Amino acid sequence: VLYQSKGNIKESQKKYKAALYYLEKMPESHDKIQMKSYVYNYGAIAQFIRGNYSEAFENYQKSLKFSTQIGDIKQIIKIKANIALVHEAVGNYQLSIKNLKYLNDFVDQKEGFFTKEEMLNYKSNNSRGLGTAYEGYFMKNLSKRYLLDSAEYYYKRTVKYSQNFIENTVSAKLSLGNVYGWKNDFKNAEKMYYEVAFLAKQNNLLGILGTANYNLADIYYTTKNYDKALVFYKKSDSISMISGNTLDYLKSNYYQAKIYALLKQPYLAYQHSKIYLDNYEKYETKLREEALEVNYKLGVNDLTDEMVTIQEKYKYDVFINKALKVFYVI
């Protein structure tokens, strides 16, 4: 999971394979059943980070089966929280919220059963999950502004309970920036994203760093500061290619194409629209397989239509420019 969080898929897969190999060498016992649950849970987390939600769900189910077999309450809570995150990722927001609220109440009722560190961990993770579920639910129902207030409430709770969990702190602050952006509070959103970029860089959280740069670019694009937007979109591109964040990479090239079209630079507009279209179909297929409902600002179909228009519009201009250059050389 640690290697995967840094974008090193090859090493992550290698370590997971080794974990399964040594797991099978353990003698049959209570400890082996417990370890099976741990290994499958970690495998699911790595798959989740990769965006392979169906495989993550399958591994979580295996993990849950082994924990239930030995009555490992703490592990069952962790797994059910992770399953709720899968529901959130594939668009089952209400189901995710319902499950996480149930877990919140359950943990509170069993407070004496957990150490202080464990309680903080559960509250941090559950609050973060509820925040993302409410934010995702809002993005499917933009008229329901009260969902943003719920998202903000749970993100702030995440920060409160995450003194010892830097990744949750940084992730929650990134999401708070999103909430401020949706509320058109661009000043606070910008401030939050800069803080997130600094913390992510300090803690080698490559995926979050790429998203923070993309979100900064998005603010500057929205406020029509196109030169600054291009700087941060390009930073996001570079990081996304290393971390494997295809969604940010696609959206970044989409907006770069739009900016270059506005700046009357046809060759660059064409170039970035081509990158978007060449990669979109492959990404869309993966999303369809994973049942993930992706929400772009203007809707996926609108984005694709717009990129095709830009590509077709400037394809002729690029050809003419190349022909003129050859003519001038001759």
Side-chain angles (χ1 to χ4, degrees):
V1 172
L2 289 171
Y3 277 118
Q4 184 59 50
S5 67
K6 295 172 183 175
N8 192 339
I9 298 174
K10 188 176 179 180
E11 196 64 29
S12 174
Q13 291 173 328
K14 179 182 173 183
K15 294 296 182 185
Y16 185 60
K17 189 176 179 181
L20 290 172
Y21 173 79
Y22 289 112
L23 175 64
E24 289 309 311
K25 290 188 172 293
M26 290 178 68
E28 295 300 327
S29 62
H30 178 281
D31 287 348
K32 182 174 183 177
I33 295 172
Q34 187 177 54
M35 186 56 67
K36 279 184 178 180
S37 178
Y38 292 168
V39 170
Y40 281 115
N41 185 53
Y42 281 126
I45 294 170
Q47 293 288 7
F48 184 89
I49 296 170
R50 291 177 199 134
N52 299 331
Y53 302 117
S54 56
E55 288 186 46
F57 185 76
E58 187 179 339
N59 279 343
Y60 283 138
Q61 291 288 69
K62 289 178 183 177
S63 180
L64 184 61
K65 182 184 77 172
F66 292 121
S67 286
T68 303
Q69 189 177 333
I70 58 173
D72 189 342
I73 300 296
K74 293 179 181 179
Q75 183 70 353
I76 289 170
I77 291 170
K78 288 180 186 177
I79 299 162
K80 286 193 171 183
N82 288 340
I83 289 173
L85 294 181
V86 174
H87 284 308
E88 182 268 321
V90 299
N92 297 332
Y93 303 114
Q94 288 170 290
L95 185 57
S96 179
I97 291 166
K98 181 181 177 181
N99 288 346
L100 287 170
K101 283 190 171 181
Y102 168 80
L103 282 175
N104 256 350
D105 293 339
F106 182 79
V107 170
D108 285 340
Q109 290 166 10
K110 303 284 184 183
E111 188 171 354
F113 187 69
F114 306 109
T115 66
K116 183 180 178 181
E117 184 80 1
E118 287 170 336
M119 283 295 291
L120 287 173
N121 190 12
Y122 291 140
K123 287 182 177 292
S124 170
N125 286 330
N126 281 11
S127 296
R128 179 183 169 189
L130 280 162
T132 56
Y134 272 112
E135 185 183 356
Y137 193 21
F138 163 74
M139 290 175 71
K140 295 288 287 184
N141 302 272
L142 295 177
S143 62
K144 297 181 178 179
R145 306 293 292 182
Y146 64 88
L147 294 172
L148 272 183
D149 296 329
S150 295
E152 183 177 357
Y153 170 75
Y154 282 109
Y155 286 139
K156 286 180 176 177
R157 271 176 62 96
T158 305
V159 174
K160 176 184 174 182
Y161 292 120
S162 299
Q163 300 96 326
N164 301 325
F165 313 110
I166 186 62
E167 189 168 352
N168 274 11
T169 298
V170 179
S171 178
K173 288 188 174 186
L174 177 71
S175 298
L176 270 174
N178 297 345
V179 171
Y180 295 144
W182 280 110
K183 291 184 173 183
N184 294 325
D185 184 358
F186 298 122
K187 186 176 180 181
N188 276 322
E190 179 187 27
K191 183 179 176 182
M192 193 64 73
Y193 290 144
Y194 272 114
E195 182 184 354
V196 168
F198 173 77
L199 291 171
K201 193 171 183 179
Q202 291 291 104
N203 293 279
N204 201 24
L205 300 171
L206 202 60
I208 293 176
L209 178 61
T211 301
N213 277 284
Y214 171 80
N215 289 355
L216 278 166
D218 201 40
I219 284 176
Y220 295 130
Y221 173 81
T222 303
T223 55
K224 299 184 178 181
N225 190 340
Y226 298 131
D227 290 336
K228 260 192 171 182
L230 285 171
V231 169
F232 284 97
Y233 279 135
K234 290 181 190 304
K235 281 186 181 182
S236 174
D237 270 8
S238 302
I239 298 167
S240 297
M241 290 180 75
I242 299 169
S243 67
N245 189 337
T246 311
L247 179 57
D248 281 355
Y249 181 70
L250 276 174
K251 292 192 294 182
S252 171
N253 278 281
Y254 163 72
Y255 285 112
Q256 286 180 77
K258 286 196 71 170
I259 290 171
Y260 284 121
L262 288 168
L263 297 177
K264 311 294 185 190
Q265 296 187 43
Y267 179 74
L268 290 170
Y270 170 78
Q271 191 177 50
H272 285 283
S273 67
K274 189 174 188 305
I275 290 171
Y276 175 88
L277 290 169
D278 287 349
N279 288 277
Y280 167 70
E281 188 174 346
K282 181 169 63 175
Y283 182 66
E284 184 195 33
T285 301
K286 179 174 173 58
L287 293 185
R288 195 184 302 118
E289 288 170 355
E290 299 296 337
L292 177 62
E293 297 176 42
V294 177
N295 297 291
Y296 287 159
K297 259 185 177 177
L298 306 174
V300 166
N301 292 332
D302 291 340
L303 292 184
T304 305
D305 291 344
E306 192 165 4
M307 287 300 100
V308 170
T309 301
I310 288 176
Q311 190 175 32
E312 291 302 316
K313 180 179 178 182
Y314 293 120
K315 193 173 185 179
Y316 180 73
D317 290 352
V318 170
F319 173 77
I320 293 297
N321 285 344
K322 285 182 177 178
L324 286 172
K325 284 179 184 176
V326 172
F327 174 75
Y328 292 144
V329 169
I330 292 170

